[in-house]
C-alpha cells in the first residue's frame, strides 16, 4: 500500500473574469489501469460592497469634524483584504494632519466571507466658505478595480459682527468695579 500526495495549484490573471473551470486529468499507471481525476476550480474576484458610495457632509464649521459611518461587506466566498491610502504631497510624502480634509478610520482590514465592518469617514475643513469634494479610493488585494467613495462637504467660517449701537455698555460705560 503506497500513497501519493498530489498538490494542484490553479492560477488565473487578476483581470480575467470569474468563472468555473473543469478539467479532466487522466493518470496512466505503468502496467495498470488509467485513472481519471475530475478537477473543478471556481475563480472568484475579491470584492467589497459599500453601504453608500456617495456621502454629503453638508455644512461644517472650520476646525470641527463631522463623521459618517459606512459599512463594508464581503459577499464573496473568499477573504477580502482592503486598504485606503491617504493622499500624499506631490513628492509622495504624507500630508500633515491639518491638510487632510477627508479621512477614513480604520485604513485597512480583512473581511472573511459574509463579514462586515464599519469605517468612519471624517470631514475636517481647514478653509472657510469653500466647497470640498474628493474620491476616496479603496484598494482590494488581487482585484485591479478599486471601490470609490465620493465625498463632499461645505466649510463655513464663524463670524462675529459687532456694532457699537447694539452694545449697551458702549454708550453707558461701567465705572470702576471691585474684583
Amino acid at each position: 500500500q503506497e500513497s501519493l500526495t498530489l498538490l494542484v495549484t490553479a492560477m488565473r490573471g487578476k483581470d480575467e473574469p470569474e468563472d468555473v473551470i473543469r478539467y479532466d486529468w487522466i493518470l496512466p499507471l505503468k502496467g495498470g489501469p488509467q485513472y481519471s481525476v475530475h478537477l473543478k476550480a471556481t475563480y472568484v474576484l475579491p470584492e467589497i460592497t459599500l453601504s453608500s458610495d456617495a456621502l454629503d457632509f453638508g455644512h461644517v464649521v472650520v476646525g470641527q469634524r463631522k463623521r459618517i459611518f459606512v459599512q463594508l461587506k464581503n459577499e464573496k466566498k473568499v477573504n477580502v483584504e482592503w486598504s485606503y491610502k491617504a493622499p500624499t504631497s506631490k513628492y509622495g510624502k504624507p500630508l500633515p494632519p491639518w491638510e487632510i480634509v477627508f479621512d477614513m478610520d480604520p485604513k485597512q482590514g480583512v473581511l472573511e466571507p459574509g463579514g462586515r465592518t464599519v469605517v468612519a469617514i471624517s470631514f475636517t475643513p481647514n478653509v472657510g466658505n469653500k466647497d470640498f469634494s474628493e474620491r476616496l479610493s479603496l484598494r482590494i488585494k488581487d482585484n485591479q478595480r478599486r471601490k470609490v467613495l465620493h465625498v463632499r462637504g461645505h466649510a463655513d467660517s464663524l463670524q462675529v459682527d459687532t456694532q457699537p449701537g447694539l452694545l449697551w455698555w458702549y454708550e453707558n460705560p461701567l465705572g470702576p468695579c471691585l474684583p
Side-chain angles (χ1 to χ4, degrees):
Q1 280 265 341
E2 289 188 36
S3 67
L4 176 65
T5 302
L6 297 174
L7 176 63
V8 178
T9 303
M11 297 177 72
R12 192 164 173 125
K14 293 179 183 180
D15 57 343
E16 294 187 45
E18 295 181 343
D19 200 3
V20 175
I21 304 295
R22 298 175 194 281
Y23 181 75
D24 289 330
W25 185 22
I26 307 297
L27 292 174
L29 295 179
K30 187 176 181 181
Q34 290 186 349
Y35 289 95
S36 179
V37 177
H38 304 285
L39 300 173
K40 177 182 170 185
T42 303
Y43 290 97
V44 178
L45 218 64
E47 183 76 45
I48 55 175
T49 304
L50 304 174
S51 59
S52 177
D53 60 356
L55 301 177
D56 186 356
F57 286 86
H59 291 261
V60 178
V61 175
V62 172
Q64 293 186 355
R65 175 177 292 162
K66 182 174 182 180
R67 287 189 175 124
I68 298 178
F69 296 93
V70 174
Q71 184 180 72
L72 309 180
K73 184 169 45 171
N74 179 7
E75 297 176 339
K76 299 290 184 150
K77 296 180 181 180
V78 294
N79 287 351
V80 175
E81 188 175 329
W82 63 272
S83 63
Y84 165 71
K85 186 177 177 189
T88 57
S89 71
K90 61 183 178 180
Y91 303 109
K93 295 186 177 184
L95 292 175
W98 59 86
E99 288 186 22
I100 297 175
V101 178
F102 293 101
D103 200 14
M104 180 183 295
D105 187 52
K107 293 184 179 358
Q108 62 186 14
V110 176
L111 285 175
E112 294 181 358
R116 300 168 189 246
T117 191
V118 175
V119 295
I121 311 300
S122 61
F123 174 47
T124 313
N126 53 10
V127 176
N129 301 323
K130 181 179 175 184
D131 288 319
F132 290 91
S133 68
E134 277 187 35
R135 295 168 24 132
L136 304 183
S137 181
L138 295 173
R139 298 174 183 197
I140 302 169
K141 185 177 177 184
D142 295 328
N143 188 341
Q144 291 185 337
R145 292 186 334 193
R146 297 180 180 190
K147 273 294 186 191
V148 177
L149 182 61
H150 300 274
V151 292
R152 66 186 193 130
H154 181 81
D156 289 327
S157 297
L158 291 179
Q159 295 179 346
V160 177
D161 292 330
T162 58
Q163 296 177 357
L166 297 177
L167 301 175
W168 65 272
W169 65 82
Y170 185 77
E171 294 174 356
N172 304 312
L174 295 176
C177 297
L178 294 173

